[in-house]
Amino acid sequence: MSATLQFDEDASRRVEAIYLTPDVIEQRETILRALALEPGERAIDIGSGPGLLVCDMAVAVGTGGRVCGVDVSESMLALARARRPPVGSAPIEYQEAGAHTLPYEDASFDVAVCTQVYEYVDDVPAALLELRRVLRPGGRALVLDTDWDSIVWASSDNERMDRVLAAWEEHLVHPHLPRTLTRLLRDAGLEVTDRQIVPLFNAGYDPNTYSAGMLELIATFVPDRNGVSEAEATAWAQDLTELGPNYFLSLNRYLFLAHKPT
Ligand SMILES: C[S@@+](CC[C@H](N)C(=O)[O-])C[C@H]1O[C@@H](n2cnc3c(N)ncnc32)[C@H](O)[C@@H]1O
């Protein structure tokens, strides 16, 4: 079995719930600080998922701005379209489209963001050229992805944990993308101007956290992959939850800010 995670209705709802936890709200705040959006700017979110960042950006650029979201998942687009930004936000437009074929003219946007998406995309160099095409000269791009080698996750059975995590790496195309992103962004003709680490840290089990939600998503994905049975996946998840105060997860995402030369 080699199919990556499909963002169908069930997975999309799980991801939306995870992205509403305080951990991921804080991540979006970091992204917005790095973007430093100005009123009236035009922004695109490539792989906009449940539309949470799109709404935040629409608030930041205000009624004189414009925010567009594209995604390949109909389920994600349905969740995003159901989300209503507050009065005073920019108009929002969603389209079903992939990162390689953005349905916009050259130089349509001041800002392009792509968070937790390129790691699922086969041809990242081609997708970055497409991002560059829709940015105006001087426009900025923000890319954020996870390196799954950065994970530290306590378990009472380390051998099982290693097999589960190896099976989980099948959920995406590039589990270690950030370490190559500086080069890939430069090769696409973008100037990298800032790089930041965005850590996720959950110490003590709490259901309202990033990793408690991921635990359930992983337990549904890994059975019958890399020798992990359904019973083992369930036992793995139960073991972690039962660690209670000793529960420990640390995982890093990496944020890249880049500019299109004028
Ligand atoms: C993990 S979610 C991240 C969603 C959103 N960017 C966020 O950070 O809140 C990954 C999203 O990428 C979308 N996606 C995957 N491959 C894509 C592609 N080739 N083009 C556009 N979107 C894609 C998925 O449908 C899903 O909505």
Side-chain angles (χ1 to χ4, degrees):
M1 202 188 294
S2 63
T4 54
L5 179 65
Q6 300 302 300
F7 293 94
D8 57 13
E9 207 176 318
D10 179 62
S12 297
R13 285 206 175 279
R14 287 178 190 273
V15 168
E16 179 184 49
I18 293 167
Y19 285 10
L20 286 166
T21 61
D23 297 322
V24 188
I25 291 173
E26 196 179 320
Q27 174 186 300
R28 279 193 296 281
E29 288 168 357
T30 303
I31 289 168
L32 287 169
R33 269 196 304 279
L35 282 175
L37 292 164
E38 298 281 347
E41 285 194 309
R42 304 156 299 163
I44 180 169
D45 187 356
I46 301 165
S48 45
L52 293 157
L53 184 59
V54 164
C55 280
D56 289 346
M57 293 198 295
V59 171
V61 299
T63 46
R66 175 186 185 216
V67 183
C68 301
V70 298
D71 203 290
V72 287
S73 158
E74 279 179 29
S75 306
M76 283 295 198
L77 285 165
L79 292 175
R81 287 187 172 119
R83 185 153 270 113
R84 293 271 164 262
V87 175
S89 303
I92 290 175
E93 171 194 307
Y94 286 107
Q95 292 207 50
E96 187 174 335
H100 297 109
T101 47
L102 301 174
Y104 297 99
E105 304 279 314
D106 295 359
S108 297
F109 298 99
D110 304 296
V111 171
V113 299
C114 189
T115 64
Q116 296 288 124
V117 176
Y118 287 138
E119 54 198 40
Y120 296 95
V121 171
D122 284 328
D123 191 345
V124 179
L128 287 171
L129 286 175
E130 185 64 349
L131 173 150
R132 183 185 190 276
R133 182 186 69 76
V134 298
L135 265 187
R136 68 159 169 84
R140 53 207 192 277
L142 186 149
V143 175
L144 175 136
D145 284 285
T146 304
D147 189 325
W148 284 92
D149 262 0
S150 70
I151 194 161
V152 179
W153 212 350
S155 162
S156 64
D157 184 338
N158 289 334
E159 187 274 333
R160 183 176 61 198
M161 175 61 95
D162 290 347
R163 279 189 300 114
V164 168
L165 288 178
W168 174 239
E169 288 210 352
E170 293 179 15
H171 86 283
L172 75 185
V173 186
H174 307 290
H176 313 122
L177 185 64
R179 62 188 73 175
T180 62
L181 269 172
T182 302
R183 176 176 55 78
L184 291 171
L185 287 160
R186 287 188 175 139
D187 287 353
L190 295 160
E191 287 170 4
V192 178
T193 47
D194 191 21
R195 290 169 284 186
Q196 297 179 27
I197 189 165
V198 183
L200 290 155
F201 182 48
N202 299 147
Y205 180 77
D206 177 349
N208 189 27
T209 54
Y210 163 80
S211 66
M214 288 302 289
L215 219 153
E216 291 175 16
L217 187 64
I218 293 171
T220 62
F221 181 83
V222 294
D224 301 326
R225 293 171 187 267
N226 196 40
V228 180
S229 67
E230 180 121 29
E232 268 185 309
T234 306
W236 167 82
Q238 189 177 342
D239 170 50
L240 265 59
T241 344
E242 287 175 358
L243 287 175
N246 297 320
Y247 180 90
F248 189 100
L249 171 287
S250 165
L251 177 67
N252 294 332
R253 308 212 204 267
Y254 300 88
L255 181 159
F256 294 77
L257 194 65
H259 285 72
K260 178 171 175 174
T262 45

